Amino acid sequence: MRNLRVVLGLVAVLFVGQARAEDTFILWPLIDMSGVHVTVNVSNGYANIGLTAEALRTLAELTFRRRGIRVLTEKEMYSAEGMPQAHISVNLLSASDGMVVYTTRLSLRQNVTGSNGRAIATAETWTDAGSLGIAHRLELLGVIRSSVEQMAEKLSNDYLKANPPKPVVEKELLGEANEAASKKKPASPPKSSGVR
């Protein structure tokens, strides 16, 4: 029993160490990314219960905006470096007794360049496998919405790790304060009443 604990402990340490080493590699494609355009694909639609691509896209976009990631229109995506696109895929398969098998996945797709600096292909530069499970049809909307929100949060967290907020330097604050003070009009001297 003790040997099993030691082996499990070593496996956990190796796994954590590997995850930390891979962290930089995972975050690299997110550095200086200008934002994301969100697309959603839902197979075997359950629109009658509100499970639509549009509703899930809106949920993901709200999550990104709340976390400070700019949501790009399709036109903005085409002019952005790398053409970043967060693609959410939801696959649904009806089973018996109102049960539905589901999978969710989020992938960040970007144009990648060759050594000559030219774009050569679109590749998945970040992914989250999301969820695989089974839910009753009546609970399906909540389950899928929760999974989409969690995936968008994970991408947001990694984006913020790759692009930490820049610290405000004291000189910048003083410069802004001095600039604001110089824009204020000086007080005019009191008018003389002419009586002495």
Side-chain angles (χ1 to χ4, degrees):
M1 185 69 169
R2 185 173 181 269
N3 288 342
L4 179 61
R5 286 184 191 154
V6 170
V7 170
L8 290 175
L10 287 172
V11 168
V13 167
L14 290 173
F15 178 75
V16 169
Q18 182 181 2
R20 286 184 183 149
E22 291 175 351
D23 205 31
T24 304
F25 176 74
I26 291 168
L27 300 180
W28 178 79
L30 304 175
I31 295 172
D32 295 332
M33 191 173 70
S34 61
V36 291
H37 175 66
V38 182
T39 60
V40 180
N41 180 47
V42 180
S43 73
N44 296 335
Y46 281 78
N48 57 340
I49 61 168
L51 187 50
T52 65
E54 183 63 30
L56 296 178
R57 184 171 65 86
T58 300
L59 176 64
E61 287 178 348
L62 288 172
T63 303
F64 291 139
R65 284 190 179 107
R66 190 179 72 244
R67 297 299 305 277
I69 298 178
R70 186 169 168 236
V71 175
L72 306 174
T73 64
E74 188 173 5
K75 184 178 179 181
E76 289 171 331
M77 177 197 69
Y78 283 121
S79 61
E81 186 176 350
M83 296 196 304
Q85 180 184 107
H87 180 73
I88 297 167
S89 176
V90 178
N91 292 299
L92 307 166
L93 179 64
S94 297
S96 60
D97 300 326
M99 302 302 284
V100 180
V101 178
Y102 65 88
T103 63
T104 61
R105 185 173 191 271
L106 188 152
S107 60
L108 177 65
R109 299 173 178 177
Q110 292 177 288
N111 282 355
V112 294
T113 57
S115 58
N116 61 1
R118 294 183 182 169
I120 55 172
T122 300
E124 291 185 352
T125 58
W126 184 98
T127 59
D128 180 36
S131 304
L132 163 66
I134 187 165
H136 192 275
R137 188 175 180 280
L138 299 176
E139 300 170 342
L140 187 62
L141 179 60
V143 169
I144 299 297
R145 284 177 56 87
S146 176
S147 179
V148 166
E149 197 167 17
Q150 287 173 15
M151 293 187 300
E153 285 284 349
K154 285 181 187 176
L155 177 55
S156 299
N157 287 339
D158 280 354
Y159 173 84
L160 293 172
K161 282 182 199 173
N163 302 283
K166 293 179 177 139
V168 178
V169 180
E170 190 175 329
K171 286 181 182 178
E172 290 176 10
L173 289 175
L174 288 174
E176 289 174 8
N178 289 338
E179 185 179 328
S182 68
K183 288 182 180 178
K184 289 184 179 178
K185 293 182 180 178
S188 56
K191 293 184 179 179
S192 173
S193 63
V195 178
R196 294 189 177 196

